[in-house]
Amino acid sequence: QVQLVESGGGLVQAGGSLRLSCAASGRTFSSYTMGWFRQAPGKEREFVSTIRRSGLSTYYADSVKGRFTMSRNAAKNTVYLQMNSLKPEDTAVYYCAASSFYHSDYARQVPEYDYWGQGTQVTVSS
């Protein structure tokens, strides 16, 4: 089992940057596929990015590709989401998620993840 705690959210102007962190408990962090999702008011939770166990491969939603970068630090049991060129439509609660399942493809669906953090609010003003 793994527990996830996000941090780094806040209020930023359009065009600005934020870096989200997700600290994971447990000694088997490297055995989990990790993902970031977000949920805006009145909308469903949507996929943002995912990173494989090795940390060598990532996949991004089209809406954030080229602006967001996901990474993981196995020594710190932490994943990061560097968000640049932020837009008002990026405003949402951002969730970190961990998946213990095997994935032949990138894990981009909510049901593919079995552990979730409580979320951190990101607000981008215009």
Side-chain angles (χ1 to χ4, degrees):
Q1 192 169 3
V2 63
Q3 292 184 327
L4 306 171
V5 179
E6 303 98 334
S7 62
L11 174 64
V12 64
Q13 289 188 332
S17 298
L18 282 174
R19 189 177 81 154
L20 305 183
S21 299
C22 173
S25 65
R27 293 175 292 178
T28 59
F29 172 70
S30 60
S31 65
Y32 292 93
T33 292
M34 301 298 294
W36 284 99
F37 288 74
R38 66 187 182 186
Q39 188 167 17
K43 294 188 176 182
E44 293 188 351
R45 193 168 298 189
E46 66 173 5
F47 168 78
V48 175
S49 64
T50 184
I51 190 166
R52 292 201 187 274
R53 291 175 173 81
S54 65
L56 298 178
S57 185
T58 53
Y59 187 88
Y60 301 92
D62 288 343
S63 58
V64 307
K65 199 173 296 182
R67 300 187 297 123
F68 290 11
T69 302
M70 185 175 184
S71 61
R72 67 191 296 165
N73 185 323
K76 295 185 176 181
N77 280 11
T78 302
V79 293
Y80 305 96
L81 185 67
Q82 178 66 44
M83 305 186 296
N84 299 328
S85 302
L86 282 161
K87 305 175 181 179
E89 51 263 44
D90 293 319
T91 295
V93 177
Y94 282 70
Y95 296 92
C96 175
S99 174
S100 62
F101 306 121
Y102 169 76
H103 304 281
S104 59
D105 195 358
Y106 291 103
R108 290 168 281 179
Q109 306 297 325
V110 169
E112 294 183 280
Y113 292 83
D114 42 353
Y115 300 102
W116 294 84
Q118 293 190 328
T120 184
Q121 176 71 46
V122 171
T123 303
V124 185
S125 63
S126 57

